[in-house]
Amino acid sequence: MSAYTDLEARFRRLGAVEEAIAVLHWDAAAMMPAGGAAARAEQLATLRGIAHQLLAAPEIADLLAAAEAEKPDLGLWQQANLREMRRRWRHAAAVPGDLVEALSRAKSQAEAVWRTARPADDFALALPGLERVLDLTREMAAAKAEAFGTTPYEALLDQYEPGGSTALIDRLFDKISGFLPGLLDAALARQAARPVPLVPPGPFPIALQRRAALALMERIGFDFAHGRLDESGHPFCGGVPDDVRLTTRYDEADFAKALMGTLHETGHALYQRGLPAEWRLQPVGGWRGMAVHESQSLFLEMQVCRSRAFAGFAAPLLREIFGGVGEAWDADALYRRQIYVEPGPIRVEADEITYPAHVILRYRLERAMLAGDLLPRDLPGAWAEGLQQLIGVTPRSDREGCLQDIHWYDGAWGYFPTYTLGALIAAQLFAAAREALPGLSEQIGRGEFAPLFDWLRAHVHGKGSLLSTADLVLDATGAPLGTAAFEAHLRRRYLE
């Protein structure tokens, strides 16, 4: 056995452990009874400890060095796999195993408390868990920063966006911050000059909402032999490529909230399902990073499912399922509701124009907390002040503010910027797809999605982690990642 094939065998075993962690984590959020939280925390901590031991084993370093000597004899995918093996090993080797298990327990405990604190609007209840997670995250970030020769924030960012830098994020976010306020004002003024779109009367039974979601997911191409849809307090996509688990949350007063959230998560799910099967359980076969992952959810939700063409396809289906009567169920009314601009406090319900402001706020706050410039106990006030400055909205409660997202309580520090990076990538990808697929809008209007997702699988999904994010975007779109396509998309949809 060569050093490289030995590494493949070890990473295959590691991958299986990580897949078990993913399914247990989904179950904790969607199906597990509250009384199982303590036991689940121990299970996850133990499995994460085992995964860390497998990855940080002393012999891995020797095998990686030996495999480098074999590199000229390896194929392109194998060489990329070796690169990703080394990146993942560096993350593990920088952190002691006891810290990994301690942070896992803290995350599980904080997340479980958050699920009670959020509906109760009780930030004081969630605060100790948040502080504990932040303390351990700081410790991990410092260890990785020293090993990588980078900043603590960038060391965390690399877990979600390999090679990501605050310099790039700041440059892109500054450009967005430059054109977004004027675009928002213009869009609101244009919208005010038109009648408010008709809204169909509720309530909308959850059973019918689920039926509508399943019908659209199936038509778009989701494979229910390899996945399922459930409910959770915070919508997400989990599981593994051959067993994709989606969750949503329903509101009987507004069916569009769950529907658009479900379609967002379906974008994530289709990406996971489209990853290269021949490289399952190997680092190169996994998703490139969360910026690309988020680009796929936003590609489907924002670029496709909030388009006028999609409204033309979906409106008759929704009218039939809900038994709708009247103009409120027409395609034009549906489309105008889906692009209605209304600054509000909730990120996952934000319109396409104000959404980046929600991400920029969280990016600034998490960097400040990680650096010690903002104490968690002062987060509610800083949150309210920051959101007011960005979009003129103040949360009415912590439930609408710093309790609305699960991410920090679940230990996902350095994750938030990937949402807006994903929006930029999605806009570039959709512009490239329109060039490559003449008649794309007409296909979407007829409910024909196969050509579009064949293109995505060829240019994004099937690439796994073969390329860096920058090279993936350049290869698929012919241009480096920027803000031009995103700005053009917003102006075309909301101002023209």
Side-chain angles (χ1 to χ4, degrees):
M1 181 180 288
S2 70
Y4 173 79
T5 55
D6 190 347
L7 284 169
E8 272 200 346
R10 291 169 182 266
F11 273 85
R12 192 173 298 113
R13 185 164 182 252
L14 169 65
V17 173
E18 291 175 334
E19 286 198 341
I21 292 171
V23 174
L24 283 173
H25 186 269
W26 166 85
D27 178 76
M31 303 289 284
M32 184 188 74
R40 181 57 48 84
E42 279 303 307
Q43 294 161 6
L44 288 171
T46 299
L47 285 174
R48 285 174 176 142
I50 291 171
H52 183 269
Q53 291 169 8
L54 290 170
L55 189 51
E59 60 268 25
I60 296 292
D62 295 334
L63 287 169
L64 286 168
E68 286 293 332
E70 301 169 358
K71 195 171 182 179
D73 298 322
L74 301 178
L76 181 65
W77 280 85
Q78 291 172 316
Q79 291 184 28
N81 199 30
L82 183 59
R83 177 198 68 212
E84 291 303 302
M85 288 173 174
R86 179 171 291 279
R87 187 183 71 83
R88 294 199 56 198
W89 168 78
R90 289 181 66 208
H91 271 284
V95 182
D98 58 349
L99 177 56
V100 171
E101 294 198 27
L103 180 56
S104 177
R105 291 187 181 92
K107 292 192 300 185
S108 294
Q109 291 161 4
E111 179 187 337
V113 173
W114 171 84
R115 295 187 186 283
T116 300
R118 180 183 176 275
D121 190 26
D122 190 348
F123 180 66
L125 179 64
L127 180 58
L130 177 63
E131 291 173 329
R132 176 63 173 159
V133 169
L134 176 58
D135 287 344
L136 293 171
T137 299
R138 277 206 196 103
E139 191 176 341
M140 177 174 285
K144 291 189 176 186
E146 183 178 357
F148 296 170
T150 187
T151 65
Y153 187 84
E154 287 178 324
L156 296 176
L157 175 65
D158 191 79
Q159 299 173 123
Y160 306 104
E161 184 50 35
S165 72
T166 53
L168 174 64
I169 293 171
D170 290 342
R171 178 171 62 81
L172 294 173
F173 283 13
D174 285 347
K175 287 186 177 181
I176 293 172
S177 298
F179 69 73
L180 216 56
L183 198 154
L184 174 60
D185 289 343
L188 289 172
R190 184 173 186 268
Q191 184 174 272
R194 306 177 65 189
V196 175
L198 296 171
V199 179
F204 305 98
I206 289 176
L208 295 183
Q209 292 192 51
R210 177 174 169 81
R211 181 180 160 196
L214 294 176
L216 287 174
M217 289 171 66
E218 186 173 26
R219 187 65 177 267
I220 289 167
F222 184 77
D223 180 4
F224 283 99
H226 290 278
R228 56 182 289 141
L229 174 67
D230 291 279
E231 295 182 55
S232 70
H234 190 95
F236 73 101
C237 175
V240 301
D242 292 315
D243 181 10
V244 187
R245 306 296 181 93
L246 288 75
T247 70
T248 193
R249 64 183 179 210
Y250 298 101
D251 181 347
E252 291 197 327
D254 183 359
F255 71 85
K257 289 181 180 179
L259 186 62
M260 287 296 116
T262 301
L263 293 171
H264 177 99
E265 300 307 332
T266 300
H268 281 303
L270 292 173
Y271 179 37
Q272 287 197 191
R273 281 292 299 143
L275 292 170
E278 62 271 28
W279 290 98
R280 287 283 193 268
L281 303 181
Q282 294 298 320
V284 75
W287 40 274
R288 169 63 271 171
M290 283 312 304
V292 175
H293 225 315
E294 292 299 340
S295 79
Q296 297 310 287
S297 58
L298 294 170
F299 185 99
L300 183 57
E301 180 198 358
M302 296 299 186
Q303 298 293 326
V304 177
C305 295
R306 291 185 189 268
S307 70
R308 185 177 290 278
F310 185 84
F313 154 68
L317 184 149
L318 295 173
R319 180 193 291 270
E320 178 184 354
I321 289 175
F322 288 106
V325 176
E327 294 181 11
W329 292 94
D330 290 348
D332 183 67
L334 174 63
Y335 173 64
R336 290 182 57 209
R337 289 197 301 273
Q338 295 313 314
I339 66 163
Y340 194 78
V341 179
E342 185 175 18
I346 306 299
R347 175 184 62 84
V348 297
E349 298 172 5
D351 59 77
E352 205 173 6
I353 296 178
T354 59
Y355 192 100
H358 289 269
V359 173
I360 291 170
L361 171 65
R362 289 154 173 78
Y363 171 62
R364 292 172 178 171
L365 292 175
E366 69 179 4
R367 287 188 69 180
M369 283 191 285
L370 192 69
D373 298 330
L374 173 64
L375 297 176
R377 67 170 179 263
D378 298 325
L379 181 59
W383 187 292
E385 181 181 353
L387 194 63
Q388 176 64 38
Q389 290 175 350
L390 286 166
I391 58 172
V393 172
T394 301
R396 293 171 296 182
S397 65
D398 290 335
R399 181 179 178 177
E400 287 190 346
C402 59
L403 278 173
Q404 68 177 272
D405 295 308
I406 195 173
H407 302 61
W408 292 333
Y409 305 92
D410 193 30
W413 295 76
Y415 183 113
F416 275 117
T418 65
Y419 283 113
T420 291
L421 294 177
L424 301 181
I425 296 171
Q428 277 191 222
L429 287 172
F430 195 74
R434 280 202 316 268
E435 289 290 323
L437 302 171
L440 177 58
S441 291
E442 290 76 11
Q443 291 172 350
I444 292 172
R446 294 192 298 267
E448 299 171 4
F449 301 97
L452 178 58
F453 281 95
D454 286 345
W455 187 89
L456 274 181
R457 279 188 288 271
H459 291 86
V460 180
H461 302 179
K463 299 289 187 183
S465 286
L466 176 66
L467 305 173
S468 68
T469 299
D471 288 342
L472 181 70
V473 172
L474 182 61
D475 187 60
T477 71
L481 178 60
T483 62
F486 181 61
E487 182 179 1
H489 159 70
L490 293 180
R491 293 189 181 280
R492 181 170 55 250
R493 176 171 283 177
Y494 295 94
L495 300 184
E496 296 178 5

